[in-house]
Amino acid sequence: MKILPIIAGLILLVPLANAESVEEQYKKACFVCHDTGVANAPKVHDVEAWKPRLEKGMDALLNSVKNGLNAMPPGGMCTGCSDEEYKALIQYMSSPQQ
């Protein structure tokens, strides 16, 4: 019977193994506009372009993504993203390139 908790634990880890990295999510959804700055989208890793946006706070940025802003449609190109995924994508795009 000790094997049952081990199997259950492994089953819970399967989604983690298949989870996309933030960079992979960026390349699938955000890259289209944020790589080149289409329609004045702040470019990825352009800290200065992101600075005034970040000053508004993460809640305001999250609201802009979820509801759309200017040329960005609601949800951006990642309509299935959770709030946490959106926040991780914003942090990734607004941080200096590593």
Side-chain angles (χ1 to χ4, degrees):
M1 285 305 203
K2 290 185 180 183
I3 191 109
L4 190 58
I6 293 171
I7 292 172
L10 290 175
I11 290 170
L12 291 174
L13 291 176
V14 170
L16 296 177
N18 293 329
E20 290 180 318
S21 71
V22 174
E23 185 174 8
E24 289 170 328
Q25 282 185 314
Y26 165 77
K27 287 178 181 178
K28 284 185 175 181
C30 309
F31 174 85
V32 157
C33 297
H34 289 279
D35 191 61
T36 59
V38 170
N40 294 318
K43 291 183 183 178
V44 64
H45 305 305
D46 183 344
V47 176
E48 288 303 311
W50 281 95
K51 194 175 195 174
R53 293 162 172 88
L54 291 171
E55 288 173 353
K56 295 177 184 177
M58 185 57 77
D59 289 340
L61 284 169
L62 183 60
N63 188 50
S64 294
V65 173
K66 291 172 69 172
N67 295 308
L69 181 66
N70 300 324
M72 183 176 64
M77 300 301 287
C78 191
T79 56
C81 283
S82 68
D83 288 1
E84 293 308 311
E85 288 169 317
Y86 284 133
K87 289 176 184 179
L89 285 162
I90 291 166
Q91 290 172 344
Y92 171 80
M93 290 188 290
S94 64
S95 65
Q97 189 170 9
Q98 296 181 5

